[in-house]
Amino acid sequence: MVGSEMVPSSGQIPMLLAFARRLRHALAASCHRHRWLFAATLGYIAICSVILAHFGRLGALDLTMYTRVMPIAGAILASVACLRLFYALALARPARPILFLIRHIRAGFSAERLANAVPILLVLPPFMSVFTSMKNLLPVLNPYHWDPRLAAWDRALHFGIDPWRLLQPVVGHVWATAALGWLYQIWFLFIVGAWFILAFGTARPRLRMQYLIASVLAWAVIGTFAAIMLSSGGPVYYGRLVGGPDPFAPLMAYLADVHSTTILYPIDAQKYLWDNYVAAHKAIGSGISAMPSMHVAAATMFAFLLRGWHRTLGRLGFVYLGLIMVASVHLGWHYAIDGYVSLATAALLWKATGWIVGRMPEFAETERLPAAQPLPA
């Protein structure tokens, strides 16, 4: 009896076959649309392979590290989708709730949405695995030596005063530091969430593609190649990497004091990175690099994405970007100049990617969303 229920009925088979045909055609079209994303990812992996082969470290290139977190990410995404579904149900209060849920689920798993997601799910795990591999090998490829120079430039640029000292009277309070620490940590949820939401999204295709390609280029250009050339550990590790007088020791003492009275997540993250660095252990999210700041670069891309959706959201995105820049200095992660360089470079990459995507035939029409238009469901 159970087995018979599992077998599709004669009426369902044509529907399944039609869905399979739509999915096949949608996949072919999706792979074509994402060709620049594939090219950027494969080009990045190829360049990294050449660099590591030159240093005799090609065996350290890991393509599968982040495949282990995909089931967890999928479970989180499914939970969020369920919450959104039941929220829509509570808001609409339909006369036939079961039919309402079935229609929404079918819309969510349309052939177009699934086909849109496949290239992202294929690209993201190996790309981030290679990124983390390169970040962990940074001190091998170019040992940390830029910190004294960056600290001096930072000081000279800010009237002879370390930027963290300028910020201390404003945000040097337990509650402000804890809030900035929390905002700095949830950055990861925003960035990864944007990737997964856009993966299954079908609205605003040109803006979606611009964000995906620009993000890949930012992680590659800013997070890998520029980081190798400007190899630095950041203020938090200055005393351990440079030696001698540490101009950031008072800042780190203040942060440790805050951590002793409340939860300050960046302190635990900083310890995690240092422990992995000392043990030469490669793990998810590991690797030390300060200049340029990927936190600022990714937050910049996120702000541009939000601005493309709606003007008000864009304002919130740029406010969050400003808070990330302040937090990166106040929490000892970065020199202020790290953020300035990342902001300028990310803006250039966003502009260049927009130019490229705008000249792709399938995205030729300019998308403009009036400020007063409501957000898509």
Side-chain angles (χ1 to χ4, degrees), residues 83-160:
L83 289 174
R84 185 185 181 282
L85 192 62
F86 286 113
Y87 173 75
L89 181 65
L91 201 64
R93 296 182 181 179
R96 303 176 66 183
I98 301 299
L99 183 61
F100 177 87
L101 290 175
I102 291 173
R103 286 175 175 171
H104 273 67
I105 292 171
R106 289 179 63 182
F109 286 93
S110 67
E112 291 73 21
R113 288 185 183 277
L114 293 176
N116 247 10
V118 167
I120 312 304
L121 299 180
L122 287 175
V123 160
L124 195 56
F127 177 81
M128 292 308 299
S129 297
V130 172
F131 172 81
T132 300
S133 298
M134 297 297 290
K135 193 172 181 181
N136 278 272
L137 289 169
L138 194 151
V140 175
L141 304 176
N142 188 16
Y144 298 118
H145 65 280
W146 272 84
D147 287 272
R149 220 174 314 180
L150 293 174
W153 290 352
D154 229 19
R155 199 174 302 116
L157 193 61
H158 295 87
F159 314 103

Side-chain angles (χ1 to χ4, degrees), residues 17 23-24 39 65 77 83 113 126 132 138 151 153 163 183 201 212 222 261 293-294 298 305 307 330 335:
L17 292 174
L23 182 59
R24 186 176 71 250
M65 185 189 309
L77 186 66
L83 289 174
R113 288 185 183 277
T132 300
L138 194 151
W153 290 352
L183 288 172
L212 294 174
I222 297 173
T261 59
S293 167
M294 263 317 300
L305 173 67
R307 188 183 68 176
H330 178 61
Y335 309 101

Side-chain angles (χ1 to χ4, degrees), residues 20-342:
R21 284 194 296 270
R22 287 200 307 272
L23 182 59
R24 186 176 71 250
H25 292 306
L27 275 174
S30 178
C31 289
H32 178 73
R33 282 195 308 274
H34 290 84
R35 60 191 180 277
W36 281 98
L37 185 67
F38 286 132
T41 304
L42 292 174
Y44 172 71
I45 294 174
I47 293 172
C48 290
S49 300
V50 170
I51 292 172
L52 294 186
H54 175 75
F55 284 87
R57 301 298 295 266
L58 186 57
L61 194 67
D62 189 346
L63 291 169
T64 62
M65 185 189 309
Y66 282 83
T67 55
R68 296 190 293 272
V69 303
M70 291 302 288
I72 301 173
I76 294 173
L77 186 66
S79 301
V80 172
C82 288
L83 289 174
R84 185 185 181 282
L85 192 62
F86 286 113
Y87 173 75
L89 181 65
L91 201 64
R93 296 182 181 179
R96 303 176 66 183
I98 301 299
L99 183 61
F100 177 87
L101 290 175
I102 291 173
R103 286 175 175 171
H104 273 67
I105 292 171
R106 289 179 63 182
F109 286 93
S110 67
E112 291 73 21
R113 288 185 183 277
L114 293 176
N116 247 10
V118 167
I120 312 304
L121 299 180
L122 287 175
V123 160
L124 195 56
F127 177 81
M128 292 308 299
S129 297
V130 172
F131 172 81
T132 300
S133 298
M134 297 297 290
K135 193 172 181 181
N136 278 272
L137 289 169
L138 194 151
V140 175
L141 304 176
N142 188 16
Y144 298 118
H145 65 280
W146 272 84
D147 287 272
R149 220 174 314 180
L150 293 174
W153 290 352
D154 229 19
R155 199 174 302 116
L157 193 61
H158 295 87
F159 314 103
I161 305 172
D162 288 314
W164 73 266
R165 294 185 183 276
L166 296 174
L167 291 173
Q168 198 65 11
V170 181
V171 294
H173 311 281
V174 172
W175 63 268
T177 302
L180 287 173
W182 181 76
L183 288 172
Y184 202 81
Q185 289 302 109
I186 64 170
W187 165 92
F188 176 78
L189 296 178
F190 286 142
I191 303 308
V192 174
W195 272 85
F196 276 97
I197 290 171
L198 291 177
F200 291 91
T202 55
R204 306 300 304 280
R206 177 174 172 177
L207 177 65
R208 172 186 177 275
M209 189 62 65
Q210 182 177 0
Y211 178 80
L212 294 174
I213 297 175
S215 295
V216 165
L217 292 177
W219 285 87
V221 174
I222 297 173
T224 298
F225 305 134
I228 292 173
M229 292 187 293
L230 302 168
S231 182
S232 54
V236 60
Y237 306 118
Y238 188 97
R240 285 173 272 192
L241 294 175
V242 177
D246 183 359
F248 305 99
L251 172 62
M252 302 318 300
Y254 162 77
L255 295 175
D257 184 58
V258 172
H259 190 50
S260 67
T261 59
T262 186
I263 297 175
L264 192 58
Y265 296 106
I267 296 296
D268 295 326
Q270 289 163 358
K271 183 179 184 302
Y272 171 80
L273 294 183
W274 184 257
D275 289 345
N276 280 287
Y277 168 71
V278 171
H281 178 64
K282 181 171 58 180
I284 291 174
S286 62
I288 293 174
S289 175
M291 173 63 146
S293 167
M294 263 317 300
H295 253 76
V296 170
T300 302
M301 296 295 179
F302 188 63
F304 282 135
L305 173 67
L306 293 180
R307 188 183 68 176
W309 277 114
H310 197 275
R311 189 178 300 169
T312 301
L313 279 180
R315 292 193 187 104
L316 293 175
F318 282 103
V319 168
Y320 182 67
L321 168 61
L323 292 172
I324 286 293
M325 294 186 72
V326 170
S328 69
V329 175
H330 178 61
L331 299 171
W333 284 111
H334 291 283
Y335 309 101
I337 197 172
D338 298 349
Y340 303 156
V341 171
S342 288

